[in-house]
Each structure stands twice: as structure tokens, then as C-alpha cells.
Amino acid sequence: MSTFNVPTRVEVSETNQGIFDHLEKAVGFVPNLYATYAYSNNALKNYLDFANAPSSLKAKEKEVVNLAVSEVNGCEYCLSAHTAIAGMNGYSADQILELRAGKATFDSKLDALAQLAKNITENRGNTSQNVLDNFFKAGWTKENLIDTISLVGDKTISNYINNTTQIPVDFPAVKPL
């Protein structure tokens, strides 16, 4: 496999340099995965626009999807990043481990969401009918379904970029389940 270095500010386009500057101010650093997106003149902006677009899913719900998808796709980087973010969103360490496994015994509605995200990812969109029925029975809507599928796609792209480039994880590393 090729070795990818994380590009620095001076190695990316002027547009991406502006995004790096914004990330430095907003987050305090440029995450390595975001910097890797900047190998493309357009991918980083496109990713951030998509990731930050309005959704029917709340931030805490998005982390359910992010963790389940990243676990299925075996993305150490995204698992580490979203474990940290999920903690900031109020999930305990034990809850995060459950979410990574695609379940949430502590909340039936989130359990249906976690199962759906895991099932969609494992089956490449060929969702099991019983998982889908359970999702709706738990109170989720068709809008939530479409937003969940969009988020699965969003997270899968990041997972694939990391899994292909193997860039260093700059969040506290997580252990395999």
C-alpha cells in the first residue's frame, strides 16, 4: 500500500489553506483526515458542506450512525474521532462500545437507529425488512431514514479515505471491540 503523508497548509491549494485556517480557529487544529481530503482541490469543501448540512438527525443521533458505520467499515481513525465526539455529546464509555456494535440497550429508539446504520452498512444498502420495520416502529420517519442513509454514505467515504491512505490517528486511539 502507498504511504500517504498528511499534507501541510503550504502543500494544499489556496482554497484549502483558507479552510485549514478556519478549522484552526474553530477546532484548534486541522484533523489529519480533513487534511487528507485536501489532496483534492474540492473534496474537503464538499465534505464539510455535506457533513454540516441540515439534517433531521440531532448531533447525538448522528454519532450513533457514525460509530456503527465506522465499526463495520473497520476505520480506526473515525472510530477514535467519533468516540471522542460521542463522549462530548454525553455518551458514556459503555454506551459508546454498544453503539460501535450497532445497538443501544439503554434507549430503544437509538437502538433501532444503531441497528439500521449497521445493517445498511453491512448489506451495502440492501436493508433487512425487519430492521427497517423496527426503525419505523421505534418512531423514526421516512425523512429520518433518508438522512440516515445519507449519513451512512458520508461516513463511508471518510472511512474509505482513511482505510486506503492509513493516515495517522490524531485522536485518542480506541481498542478493537
Side-chain angles (χ1 to χ4, degrees):
M1 181 178 293
S2 302
T3 301
F4 278 75
N5 295 320
V6 178
T8 63
R9 186 183 183 283
V10 296
E11 296 174 305
V12 301
S13 70
E14 190 174 313
T15 299
N16 284 331
Q17 288 176 3
I19 296 171
F20 278 27
D21 294 344
H22 175 75
L23 287 167
E24 280 281 347
K25 289 177 187 166
V27 181
F29 72 110
V30 177
N32 286 345
L33 183 62
Y34 288 3
T36 303
Y37 269 97
Y39 273 113
S40 164
N41 289 329
N42 301 300
L44 179 58
K45 180 185 181 313
N46 292 343
Y47 169 75
L48 291 172
D49 287 347
F50 189 53
N52 295 314
S55 172
S56 63
L57 301 176
K58 297 177 180 120
K60 197 167 183 172
E61 296 163 346
K62 286 180 176 182
E63 290 313 311
V64 171
V65 176
N66 291 333
L67 288 165
V69 171
S70 296
E71 184 67 39
V72 170
N73 287 330
C75 182
E76 180 186 356
Y77 188 97
C78 293
L79 283 170
S80 298
H82 289 289
T83 292
I85 295 166
M88 290 185 281
N89 275 285
Y91 289 113
S92 71
D94 288 340
Q95 290 171 333
I96 291 169
L97 290 174
E98 276 196 34
L99 295 172
R100 286 176 56 189
K103 60 185 177 178
T105 60
F106 56 91
D107 183 299
S108 60
K109 191 168 183 183
L110 292 178
D111 189 51
L113 178 62
Q115 287 182 41
L116 178 74
K118 180 180 180 184
N119 188 268
I120 288 170
T121 308
E122 286 177 334
N123 296 305
R124 297 179 303 195
N126 295 302
T127 310
S128 299
Q129 188 62 50
N130 65 328
V131 171
L132 191 57
D133 291 344
N134 186 50
F135 177 77
F136 290 127
K137 193 166 98 177
W140 297 101
T141 66
K142 290 178 182 176
E143 178 184 19
N144 299 141
L145 173 65
I146 300 305
D147 285 344
T148 299
I149 294 167
S150 293
L151 184 54
V152 168
D154 164 23
K155 192 47 48 200
T156 297
I157 292 167
S158 290
N159 294 165
Y160 286 8
I161 287 174
N162 175 259
N163 290 350
T164 299
T165 64
Q166 294 292 302
I167 50 109
V169 177
D170 51 357
F171 288 89
V174 297
K175 294 180 180 171
L177 285 182

